[in-house]
Amino acid sequence: MTTNADSRLRQLGILAVLVLLTETAPLELSLVYPAAHSLAQSFGSAGADAVTGAVSLAAVVCIPLLGRIADVVGKKRVLLWSGAVFAVGSLLCATAGSLPLLLLGRVLQGAVGGALAVAYAVVRDTFPRHRVPVALGVVSSGIGISGIVAPFLGGALVDRYGYRGVFWFLFALSVCVLPLAAAALPRDGRRDATKAPPGRRLDIPGALLLGLAAAALVWGVGTGVRSGWAAPAVLWALLVVLLLTVGFWRRERDRPDPAIDLALLADPAVRGTLIAAVLTTTGTSTVAYLLPQLLQTPRQAGLGYAFGLGALAAAGWTFTLGLGALAGGPAGGLLARRRGPRRTALTAQALIAIGALGFAALPGQRGLVLLVSLVFGLGAGLAYVGFANLITEAVPDERAATGTALIAVANQLGAAAGASALASVRTLHPVGPDGTLFAGTGYRLAFALAAGVALLALLTTYRMRHGRTPATGGAAARRTDSSTAVSVDSATTKEKI
């Protein structure tokens, strides 16, 4: 007989494993960001930006498929297989001898991008409803753990082994975590993708159309920043985005098995949440990507902000960012349960905007880094759990993994747009012939734009009618879905009468 204590202990074990397993995605970003300077020395600034953004763009393709597969064949299987593909990608990145092979490895690493979305669905399936908001906060707080540990770990690895050391560590971590996940996660039900109804098949072409459209958009924006918006390459990129988007919409609108359920996107609660999430993550990823590069810029005449720090020393000035994110996860869960997830998201966006504006004043003011990083990190931690609860409240149980996959797509799009496109603003102010050093004006402009994007996200969330009541762990969505079904049944009955 299972006691309440045994049940709580089992839930804590599942929660711990989910944090470890899903930590690979944010940890991958947190480790690679400190390695950006080393990557730029080997492949140039454009190559480093591409290496950083490639994993997010690949995740855009994988996440809808992973959410769909998880709903069909089981969440545990998806978590384990995505972790295995991530391990293979990490090994390829660690041994790659050229930029194309490194980019291929990063694409394979993108397979783990949907792990957090599937983990949210596992929490929703496993935990009592009243514990779901806080449990989501704990899972999200893994982002904070990576923010604290990763800068120091990444700095030590980069200083000693270069960027390859980061990927060797990620490979070793995956090999250690996967057996723990196989032992601790709840078993999947006896479902088989081959026995699933026709409406549950995978739409791989649809996911590819979406991912290619996202990649073309991010590349086009980055090129527009560097070369001007009238450049032929930008116009061609925008044309490709338009054609791919139209193709995606025409394919998905009438399919019983879409990669992205357009019916969910028609819901204002889901649509508003996704737009706000994309904008918020664009702001956070821009700052997280550029800050280590700013601190690691070697001292040079005319660069008043150039502190000349090593990767490990730079981590000592930014660890409060991870500390704030770690606190923001559980605090955001409690705030969502008591005051509603919309309030959590608004607080997060305000803190992110304040932090980004603070970073815009950093060149030459290193003493402010610790304080501004704490404010910014708290906002980032609150944002992740706020949007996780917003999407959980908006979708019914049977679409849990698919719905949370949407928020993961939004986060990855924002990450790619911030690191690959918005961060490119700094390249408008180069210093020196090699194209790896930039004036403080470029960093200020990029940070200010990140703050502006966060404020735009705040306005979007402020207009949102969804999420104003305390979070229910998905029970509200379930009640809404049930009431809709009752209304339909009543209408059908009246019609028959």
Side-chain angles (χ1 to χ4, degrees), residues 138-158:
V138 173
V139 174
S140 300
S141 70
I143 296 161
I145 295 173
S146 70
I148 295 174
V149 177
F152 292 101
L153 178 60
L157 291 171
V158 171

Side-chain angles (χ1 to χ4, degrees), residues 76-95:
K76 180 176 181 177
R77 292 185 181 93
V78 167
L79 288 173
L80 294 178
W81 277 106
S82 63
V85 174
F86 177 85
V88 173
S90 299
L91 180 61
L92 182 57
C93 289
T95 57

